[in-house]
């Protein structure tokens, strides 16, 4: 059984996150930023109004970054280690808890089209498809998913 905790992200978590990135998070970061570096994670962290890290057995599993994009509107981004997606039930439970504890804002997430696990995780938490878009430094295909403050679809 995995013992987990949800804590406020600290800079020291970012280094562990960077060193143990899951392949999918690596692809997501590269598609959006054109590179994968510790500085990209620092930028996410510094731009966030809220950032939570989930620890599995005292190891970083994943971090959630919530960045304001407009008044009462935020973008949610998840960066995972290889450990983060390993226990689907714990991932689902911890992510749901983080989303529930966020302020009542419209939430959006841009998801790399091939990231089916993250898209499903968002959909399980009230996010719905809004549109396809080309995004990021590498001009890749992404999905825009959104959730209103009541958890219903944005359109």
């Amino acid at each position: 059984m995995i013992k987990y905790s949800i804590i406020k992200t600290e800079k020291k978590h970012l280094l562990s996150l960077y060193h143990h990135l899951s392949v999918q998070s690596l692809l997501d970061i590269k598609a959006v930023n054109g590179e994968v570096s510790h500085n990209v994670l620092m930028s996410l962290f510094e731009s966030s109004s809220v950032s939570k890290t989930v620890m599995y057995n005292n190891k970083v599993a994943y971090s959630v970054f919530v960045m304001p994009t407009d008044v009462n509107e935020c973008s949610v981004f998840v960066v995972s280690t290889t450990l983060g997606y390993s226990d689907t039930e714990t991932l689902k439970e911890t992510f749901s808890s983080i989303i529930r504890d966020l302020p009542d804002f419209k939430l959006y997430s841009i998801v790399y089209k091939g990231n089916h696990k993250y898209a499903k995780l968002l959909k399980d938490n009230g996010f719905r498809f809004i549109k396809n878009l080309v995004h990021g430094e590498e001009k890749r295909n992404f999905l825009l998913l959104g959730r209103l403050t009541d958890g219903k679809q944005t359109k």
Side-chain angles (χ1 to χ4, degrees), residues 108-120:
Y108 296 94
S109 192
I110 297 172
V111 181
Y112 189 58
K113 212 165 194 175
N115 194 341
H116 303 293
K117 281 189 176 188
Y118 183 44
K120 181 177 180 349

Side-chain angles (χ1 to χ4, degrees), residues 29-46:
I29 292 168
K30 177 93 168 59
V32 172
N33 299 285
E35 68 173 300
V36 179
S37 69
H38 183 257
N39 289 339
V40 170
L41 295 178
M42 284 298 294
S43 179
L44 275 171
F45 176 69
E46 290 168 354

Side-chain angles (χ1 to χ4, degrees), residues 8-147:
K8 184 178 175 183
T9 303
E10 297 176 18
K11 288 182 181 180
K12 67 181 180 181
H13 299 133
L14 302 178
L15 191 56
S16 181
L17 192 60
Y18 176 68
H19 284 295
H20 302 285
L21 276 175
S22 69
V23 171
Q24 190 59 60
S25 287
L26 187 139
L27 292 172
D28 293 346
I29 292 168
K30 177 93 168 59
V32 172
N33 299 285
E35 68 173 300
V36 179
S37 69
H38 183 257
N39 289 339
V40 170
L41 295 178
M42 284 298 294
S43 179
L44 275 171
F45 176 69
E46 290 168 354
S47 299
S48 297
S49 58
V50 174
S51 182
K52 298 289 182 179
T53 293
V54 176
M55 308 290 286
Y56 290 177
N57 296 327
N58 295 318
K59 294 180 182 175
V60 174
Y62 68 92
S63 293
V64 176
F65 302 94
V66 181
M67 294 158 287
T69 55
D70 203 350
V71 177
N72 295 327
E73 183 178 291
C74 291
S75 180
V76 177
F77 195 74
V78 172
V79 178
S80 178
T81 66
T82 53
L83 186 61
Y85 286 132
S86 64
D87 183 329
T88 308
E89 286 306 311
T90 303
L91 171 66
K92 189 175 177 180
E93 182 180 335
T94 55
F95 186 75
S96 293
S97 177
I98 291 169
I99 294 296
R100 270 193 315 271
D101 290 344
L102 292 176
D104 288 335
F105 292 153
K106 291 180 185 174
L107 300 175
Y108 296 94
S109 192
I110 297 172
V111 181
Y112 189 58
K113 212 165 194 175
N115 194 341
H116 303 293
K117 281 189 176 188
Y118 183 44
K120 181 177 180 349
L121 187 63
L122 289 167
K123 288 176 182 177
D124 288 346
N125 282 279
F127 285 75
R128 297 294 173 251
F129 174 81
I130 296 174
K131 67 179 179 177
N132 290 304
L133 52 98
V134 175
H135 176 71
E137 287 292 320
E138 295 187 349
K139 306 293 186 222
R140 302 280 181 162
N141 292 320
F142 284 79
L143 306 172
L144 177 62
L145 302 176
R147 179 180 169 272

